[in-house]
Amino acid sequence: MAGITDNSLVIAPQWIGDAVMTEPLLRRLHARGERITVGALPWVAPVYRAMPQVADVIEFPFAHGGLQLKARRAIAQRIEGQFDNAYVCPNSLKSALLPFLASIPKRIGYLGEARVGLLTHRLKNPKNKPPMVAFYSALSGEGNLEQDRPQLLMKPADIEQTLRELGLQRGGYVVFAPGAEYGPAKRWPARHFSALAVTLDLPVVLLGSAKEAALCDEIAAPVNAVREGCCLNFAGKTSLLQALCLIAASQSTISNDSGLMHVAAALGVPQVAIFGSSSPLHTPPLSDRASVLWLKTDPAYQPPLDCAPCFERECPLGHTRCLNDLSPAQVLQATRALQGALPEVYLHPPVAKTAEKKATSQ
């Protein structure tokens, strides 16, 4: 890498998955000598601390909705004169306000929400939107974006501390991420997750937000009735940093199309990614260790899913066949196929007694 040529501020997206998908953009900027500071909301900031090319993270005190002009102006005044470039990843008007108010000379982003005057370098939104990683990487102004793949790196000390605090052992559990912020049309049924958990050889750790705690309880209860203490519900009980560490140290991760799916892919964890109303052509897990299940492309599934992808929060037809008809047996088969590519020593590590004790107390 050449010496530092510019100081650049990157305005981050507000969702975990999108934050992960901006990593190749930041790697490109860093490789050409830009010192990167990311401005991010608190719930995605830990993602950027897992990117070695990021020099600093500014946590924005913004809430959902509203311009919050006073708070943006205060931060703009504080950072004025510190940056040469701003890369605005979201397409909203408010995301472009802070770089404008801070008088950052070069402000790059996509056209959208009447923000022509706020940006100095404007990219047209493509008619046929490319995969999101390439969409973000294009803000660099560079080409050959098709092979960009996000990469995250957790600090070993953070992983070991998280495992110690939660009584788990590296490789000694499987992570389930059964939530999906967008809506139920992206969520594989809880009963299917439960049926799958009962068949696995290792304990299951359930991750998600506090809003998904009840969903995770629904999954864990029937499993623990059969295999006492083998399904640990950590939804809403961990920080995002801890959740990232738990995924990094898991034997494998099984999830819907969600932010944690992209985290697992960027960490290189063996994973099964389940798609329903959305499309893996648009937001795939970009990892050689990912197995994608989508009935839309399964020639054996009849009648074909002509309705997919609908990109709706709830099934417009009321059947959600795309997820209900994907059986636990199919996901188990994909999981075992992933395990077949792993060394035997990694498949069945001893489960720490502290994990068993912790599990039975849940």
Side-chain angles (χ1 to χ4, degrees):
M1 187 190 75
I4 299 297
T5 58
D6 282 331
N7 288 307
S8 296
L9 175 67
V10 175
I11 305 297
Q14 65 176 331
W15 304 111
I16 292 172
D18 285 85
V20 173
M21 289 187 282
T22 64
E23 189 276 336
L25 165 65
L26 306 189
R27 201 170 351 124
R28 285 175 175 272
L29 302 180
H30 177 72
R32 67 194 191 196
E34 298 184 32
R35 184 186 186 277
I36 301 167
T37 297
V38 174
L41 295 167
W43 54 87
V44 299
V47 173
Y48 289 100
R49 295 192 176 102
M51 300 180 189
Q53 65 270 39
V54 175
D56 194 15
V57 177
I58 300 172
E59 291 196 18
F60 290 155
F62 307 143
H64 284 297
L67 288 179
Q68 298 161 80
L69 190 57
K70 184 177 179 181
R72 292 179 197 277
R73 184 177 285 114
I75 295 176
Q77 289 173 348
R78 192 172 80 234
I79 67 171
E80 188 169 1
Q82 296 182 22
F83 297 102
D84 306 289
N85 311 300
Y87 299 88
V88 184
C89 294
N91 269 9
S92 63
L93 172 68
K94 61 185 179 183
S95 62
L97 269 175
L98 193 148
F100 172 77
L101 294 172
S103 303
I104 297 175
K106 188 175 181 181
R107 305 183 297 275
I108 304 105
Y110 283 94
L111 284 169
E113 281 201 3
R115 57 187 197 167
V116 171
L118 301 181
L119 300 171
T120 61
H121 293 69
R122 298 173 291 275
L123 282 70
K124 291 183 178 179
N125 279 280
K127 290 183 180 179
N128 298 314
K129 203 168 187 179
M132 285 303 295
V133 170
F135 180 77
Y136 288 129
S137 290
L139 292 173
S140 68
E142 300 175 357
N144 301 316
L145 311 176
E146 294 75 17
Q147 299 305 312
D148 279 6
R149 291 187 167 201
Q151 299 172 13
L152 297 179
L153 183 64
M154 305 307 300
K155 296 176 182 176
D158 288 339
I159 293 176
E160 295 309 317
Q161 181 177 344
T162 297
L163 294 176
R164 187 167 55 251
E165 289 175 351
L166 298 177
L168 294 166
Q169 181 172 319
R170 183 186 289 269
Y173 57 92
V174 175
V175 162
F176 283 5
E181 185 71 25
Y182 188 68
K186 290 179 73 174
R187 298 183 197 130
W188 200 43
R191 66 182 184 278
H192 287 356
F193 273 110
S194 298
L196 175 63
V198 170
T199 67
L200 298 179
D201 297 331
L202 293 177
V204 169
V205 168
L206 296 165
L207 295 180
S209 67
K211 291 186 292 185
E212 292 157 349
L215 168 65
C216 290
D217 277 338
E218 185 182 349
I219 294 168
V223 179
N224 289 331
V226 176
R227 299 174 60 206
E228 186 178 355
C230 281
C231 202
L232 307 176
N233 180 6
F234 288 152
K237 299 175 184 176
T238 68
S239 65
L240 179 55
L241 173 62
Q242 288 177 313
L244 299 184
C245 289
L246 287 173
I247 291 173
S250 68
Q251 187 218 57
S252 56
T253 294
I254 299 167
S255 72
N256 300 312
D257 173 19
S258 66
L260 295 184
M261 176 196 77
H262 293 290
V263 166
L267 289 169
V269 173
Q271 66 180 133
V272 176
I274 299 167
F275 280 76
S277 63
S278 57
S279 168
L281 302 178
H282 182 50
T283 54
L286 293 172
S287 168
D288 293 335
R289 307 183 85 183
S291 176
V292 172
L293 296 181
W294 195 34
L295 288 179
K296 171 73 174 182
T297 55
D298 184 352
Y301 179 72
Q302 297 295 327
L305 276 172
D306 296 332
C307 55
C310 68
F311 297 106
E312 298 291 340
R313 293 180 183 272
E314 298 187 19
C315 177
L317 303 177
H319 54 60
T320 321
R321 285 172 48 211
C322 56
L323 292 172
N324 287 327
D325 290 355
L326 183 64
S327 71
Q330 288 171 285
V331 179
L332 178 63
Q333 182 180 13
T335 303
R336 287 179 171 164
L338 279 177
Q339 292 177 345
L342 297 175
E344 182 64 26
V345 69
Y346 191 59
L347 290 177
H348 301 290
V351 180
K353 292 181 180 180
T354 50
E356 296 172 358
K357 183 178 180 181
K358 185 89 174 180
T360 54
S361 67
Q362 297 295 311

